[in-house]
Amino acid sequence: MNQKFMREAIRLSREKMRRGAGGPFGAVVVRQGKIIARGWNCVTSANDPTAHAEVTAIRAACRKLRTFQLDDCELYTSCEPCPMCLAAIYWARFQKVYFANTRRDAKKIEFDDDLIYREVARPVSRRKIPMQQLLRPAALQVFAEWQAKPDKIRY
């Protein structure tokens, strides 16, 4: 059964790449043995750097299920997730993730996520994109309000 879902993720990656939607990446979200959402890379066609296959599949699944957590779902993706997608996978709380190509395979065709993996591990002051903290006290007031909010929805 797992191979059937991975074949669909790979099929999507090929089909959408050939149609010019974006890079060669596809993903499907599976719940109780059925595909509930599909996603593919549409970074270039949507002019959206966050429109990776995993993220588009997660968005579609959450819309369909009307939830922000997919803890009873599995994700099948045609390539090992990049750092952004990996974070989205953890936020969605998937049961399990299956992938086909590795990030090293992606690097060979010039999709290289190593820079981001390295940047995340660096102190803010040493990152390639300059980052500066501003107005922390004002922002902390909002956090305090959130912490005291009795009707908040935790995630």
Side-chain angles (χ1 to χ4, degrees), residues 114-141:
D114 282 340
L115 168 69
I116 300 168
Y117 280 107
R118 287 190 311 270
E119 287 291 297
V120 168
R122 287 186 179 159
V124 172
S125 63
R126 295 192 53 223
R127 292 184 180 157
K128 288 188 182 281
I129 297 175
M131 297 186 181
Q132 181 178 350
Q133 189 175 27
L134 293 173
L135 299 176
R136 182 172 180 246
L140 281 173
Q141 290 174 0

Side-chain angles (χ1 to χ4, degrees), residues 11-131:
R11 184 195 69 75
L12 280 169
S13 72
R14 179 180 290 115
E15 176 189 322
K16 301 304 181 176
M17 174 204 54
R18 286 178 176 173
R19 288 188 184 177
F25 306 98
V28 296
V29 176
V30 174
R31 182 181 189 214
Q32 299 173 351
K34 294 181 182 170
I35 294 174
I36 60 158
R38 291 171 171 78
W40 51 89
N41 182 289
C42 46
V43 168
T44 57
S45 60
N47 294 316
D48 180 352
T50 69
H52 291 200
E54 297 90 339
V55 171
T56 60
I58 289 168
R59 289 173 181 164
C62 289
R63 273 192 308 272
K64 182 173 184 173
L65 297 177
R66 296 181 177 179
T67 185
F68 54 84
Q69 291 187 349
L70 302 171
D71 52 355
D72 60 347
C73 297
E74 297 175 333
L75 179 70
Y76 292 77
T77 180
S78 65
C79 189
E80 182 179 356
C82 75
M84 177 186 68
C85 294
L86 187 61
I89 288 163
Y90 276 94
W91 281 115
R93 293 171 171 67
F94 279 96
Q95 281 183 347
K96 191 165 186 176
V97 176
Y98 298 89
F99 64 92
N101 290 320
T102 67
R103 67 194 228 202
R104 287 169 191 77
D105 297 328
K107 183 177 181 176
K108 289 177 185 174
I109 62 165
E110 299 180 18
F111 287 93
D112 188 2
D113 303 326
D114 282 340
L115 168 69
I116 300 168
Y117 280 107
R118 287 190 311 270
E119 287 291 297
V120 168
R122 287 186 179 159
V124 172
S125 63
R126 295 192 53 223
R127 292 184 180 157
K128 288 188 182 281
I129 297 175
M131 297 186 181

